[in-house]
Amino acid sequence: MTARPLQTGAPVAIDYLETYPNLIPVCASWTFGQWGCQSNDSYERTIRDFEAATKSSMPLTLIATQDNIPVGMITLGERDFEGRPDLSPWLKSLYVHPFHRNKRIASLLIERLVHEASRLGCDTLYLTTEDAKYLYEKSGWQEIDRIRTPYGEAALMKKVLPPFAVD
């Protein structure tokens, strides 16, 4: 599925990670480097998590590419923040490579993940963010609490999803 083109350059394509198993190590490296190495996780476990990603259930990971180069990713998962096991599902692991930031790729990934969550029958999504609250607010998310994560003070956010419409 090709998303809207960016201001310059080739369009960004967003697809299921399972379509590109060769990119699993890229996603694992991004995730482990950004979050896992700070939470006593292991790179091998991170690889296994992405190998389990599918398009028909959770976890579901989307990969953004531009000119066949991976530029970002996002995951829909059942669990994320251990402090709130009553909340599910979660937007997790939104990552855009630093060379490709500020080009709307994060917004495109969020928009597509919301669509995929609705397709899977979800009516609400949750996330935590230490430093990207404004990005999510622009996409209709609302802060519902302030929490402490392994990475610091964070906003716990929620988005009520529109019903899935069959095209």
Side-chain angles (χ1 to χ4, degrees):
M1 176 176 182
T2 301
R4 287 169 277 175
L6 301 176
Q7 291 85 357
T8 61
V12 172
I14 299 175
D15 210 338
Y16 302 104
L17 179 60
E18 75 175 330
T19 306
Y20 299 97
N22 59 313
L23 296 180
I24 288 172
V26 173
C27 292
S29 294
W30 287 342
T31 300
F32 184 73
Q34 185 72 30
W35 301 285
C37 62
Q38 299 176 34
S39 64
N40 298 322
D41 227 340
S42 74
Y43 179 74
E44 292 75 21
R45 179 177 171 200
T46 306
I47 286 275
R48 287 191 305 272
D49 289 347
F50 284 111
E51 288 172 340
T54 175
K55 65 182 174 189
S56 57
S57 64
M58 291 180 266
L60 180 149
T61 297
L62 299 169
I63 184 85
T65 58
Q66 187 172 35
D67 286 329
N68 296 316
I69 297 169
V71 297
M73 57 165 278
I74 194 168
T75 297
L76 175 66
E78 291 185 48
R79 299 277 177 257
D80 188 30
F81 178 59
E82 297 301 322
R84 292 300 304 266
D86 56 314
L87 303 180
S88 181
W90 292 80
L91 179 156
K92 302 171 46 170
S93 304
L94 172 61
Y95 183 86
V96 175
H97 188 278
F99 293 171
H100 300 279
R101 292 182 182 162
N102 300 312
K103 298 178 182 177
R104 290 201 67 247
I105 295 170
S107 296
L108 293 171
L109 283 163
I110 293 167
E111 182 180 304
R112 173 71 185 274
L113 188 80
V114 165
H115 172 80
E116 294 294 330
S118 291
R119 179 183 65 82
L120 293 176
C122 304
D123 57 8
T124 306
L125 280 177
Y126 300 92
L127 66 82
T128 60
T129 182
E130 291 79 23
D131 56 6
K133 179 179 163 185
Y134 177 69
L135 169 70
Y136 294 109
E137 286 176 335
K138 288 190 319 185
S139 297
W141 293 75
Q142 296 181 328
E143 182 175 345
I144 58 173
D145 201 359
R146 294 293 301 171
I147 58 171
R148 185 124 191 102
T149 73
Y151 315 105
E153 185 77 15
L156 172 60
M157 302 186 82
K158 168 182 170 178
K159 180 172 179 78
V160 176
L161 306 183
F164 180 69
V166 178
D167 296 331

